[in-house]
Amino acid sequence: MAISKDHLLWMYETMYKIRCYEDKMAEAYAEGKSPVFNIGAGPVPGEMHLATGQEPAAAGMCVHLKKEDTVTAPHRPHHHAIAKGVDLNRMTAEIFGKATGLGKGKGGHMHLFDPDVKFSCGGIVGAGIPHALGAALAAKKRGTDWVAVAFIGEGAANQGAFHESLNMAALWKLPLIVVIENNQYGISVPKTASTAVPSNDVRAAAYGIKGYYVKDNDPIDMYNVSKEAVERARTGQGPSIIEIETYRYLGHFQGDPEVYRDKNEVTLLRQKDPIIRLRNYLLNECGVTEETIAQLENKATFEVDQAYAFARESDYPKPEEALEDVFV
């Protein structure tokens, strides 16, 4: 399948930006939490789930999306948000609990909402799939070619919401795509100990829909299968499942002791880093120069630094605002 060089450059810049963002968030989150880890200390209290290593899933799919398409994400949402075009300044301010954040500092990193680009996420496992299903139904009823994408972890594929949503989407031929990021662990439980099938794309057969499998965190393959799935959805051919074999370099959450995996596992995974692989592909196969790569990296780094400065300099919400913008 022919791949646009502009698309590949966008993917590289986006993946690099995600990596810079997560690295900087890891540093910010660690502030004030040592020598004894205290989840409530520092400028970013609470849990933190980072997606370092999982960049191809978000970039390979979102390169094919437009502003009107819907994306829902789980508790590990930063890479999806960045790839969908969520306002980076307001997103970072939200994570820091600042009044300039997407949710005025009241949602935090697992509850990022940006209606301008139709993005949302939540901390309940599998909860984003029915939301994406609703968006897909609305898109079809309105007669548009918009699609809805639900990103989930492999553990969420064992939730009832996964099967119920895909059954309805298949029955009504809705433009829904479920992307399963198989990072090998549901918190600390290996996939082999929780799931009866070797890969979740085979479950597509149960609903008579298309299933795809992306091996070894490959950004080019993710680009290709995502393009086909999006084109099918836009042309009324119904839903798809994509499972990508991906890897998280960090723990399930920041502060995770990671006693459930071999201490050499991440070292070996980093040797086939997807950002480095895409960089080499651009240089060796696409005629892209080192100068162009450096420009993309500098632009991404600048935007991330700018977002963190904005967040740190922003004010916290006033105490009297605690009861504003809430349902009950």
Side-chain angles (χ1 to χ4, degrees):
M1 184 181 293
I3 304 177
S4 160
K5 183 190 289 189
D6 288 341
H7 279 181
L8 289 176
L9 291 171
W10 182 93
M11 282 179 62
Y12 182 79
E13 180 183 346
T14 300
M15 289 169 62
Y16 190 86
K17 185 189 302 184
I18 292 166
R19 181 67 60 85
C20 290
Y21 191 90
E22 299 294 63
D23 286 349
K24 206 165 186 71
M25 180 54 70
E27 293 177 11
Y29 183 77
E31 290 179 28
K33 292 183 173 68
S34 60
V36 178
F37 181 74
N38 180 353
I39 198 172
V44 186
E47 284 198 310
M48 178 60 60
H49 310 83
L50 301 181
T52 308
Q54 297 185 206
E55 299 88 357
M61 169 54 71
C62 290
V63 67
H64 302 294
L65 302 183
K66 52 189 179 182
K67 186 177 180 180
E68 294 82 7
D69 297 324
T70 294
V71 165
T72 67
H75 56 278
R76 195 182 312 282
H78 301 167
H79 53 323
H80 312 120
I82 292 171
K84 187 58 169 73
V86 170
D87 186 295
L88 204 59
N89 286 359
R90 295 178 63 212
M91 168 178 155
T92 311
E94 182 62 32
I95 295 170
F96 276 79
K98 300 299 184 72
T100 53
L102 293 167
K104 302 182 181 179
K106 298 175 183 178
H109 110 100
M110 287 191 283
H111 305 98
L112 304 170
F113 298 90
D114 191 347
D116 291 340
V117 295
K118 299 176 75 172
F119 175 87
S120 66
C121 64
I124 299 174
V125 175
I129 314 171
H131 299 164
L133 175 72
L137 176 60
K140 182 168 184 175
K141 282 186 171 292
R142 289 177 174 179
T144 70
D145 69 347
W146 304 344
V147 305
V149 181
F151 287 95
I152 63 172
E154 82 285 347
N158 294 328
Q159 293 285 97
F162 173 84
H163 302 280
E164 294 164 12
S165 297
L166 282 169
N167 181 66
M168 185 176 289
L171 185 65
W172 293 346
K173 280 196 172 296
L174 300 182
L176 173 69
I177 303 168
V178 177
V179 177
I180 303 164
E181 293 179 71
N182 173 20
N183 64 17
Q184 320 306 313
Y185 298 99
I187 305 179
S188 60
V189 179
K191 180 183 175 184
T192 53
S194 67
T195 304
V197 291
S199 60
N200 286 293
D201 60 299
V202 303
R203 287 173 158 166
Y207 310 106
I209 63 175
K210 189 76 173 178
Y212 304 87
Y213 184 74
V214 177
K215 186 174 174 54
D216 204 23
N217 216 16
D218 187 336
I220 302 298
D221 196 19
M222 185 63 191
Y223 174 95
N224 287 331
V225 301
S226 297
K227 181 179 182 182
E228 182 175 320
V230 170
E231 288 176 351
R232 291 184 72 258
R234 292 205 196 282
T235 55
Q237 298 178 63
S240 302
I241 297 172
I242 300 172
E243 175 162 299
I244 176 171
E245 178 188 23
T246 190
Y247 313 105
R248 57 169 167 82
Y249 295 162
L250 306 176
H252 171 69
F253 58 89
Q254 293 304 97
D256 180 358
E258 300 183 68
V259 295
Y260 49 87
R261 63 179 178 179
D262 188 284
K263 55 180 148 185
N264 295 319
E265 180 179 303
V266 174
T267 301
L268 295 174
L269 292 175
R270 286 185 180 272
Q271 292 176 4
K272 52 181 181 178
D273 188 276
I275 297 178
I276 296 174
R277 286 156 60 192
L278 183 55
R279 187 183 198 277
N280 290 337
Y281 184 87
L282 287 167
L283 292 171
N284 300 327
E285 305 296 332
C286 302
V288 176
T289 64
E290 291 278 5
E291 182 182 7
T292 297
I293 294 290
Q295 289 173 349
L296 295 176
E297 292 174 352
N298 290 337
K299 179 173 178 282
T301 301
F302 174 79
E303 291 176 3
V304 169
D305 289 343
Q306 190 177 49
Y308 275 87
F310 175 84
R312 288 187 181 271
E313 293 166 6
S314 294
D315 294 327
Y316 286 102
K318 297 176 182 177
E320 57 267 27
E321 296 174 354
L323 299 180
E324 296 178 4
D325 306 305
V326 293
F327 288 114
V328 292

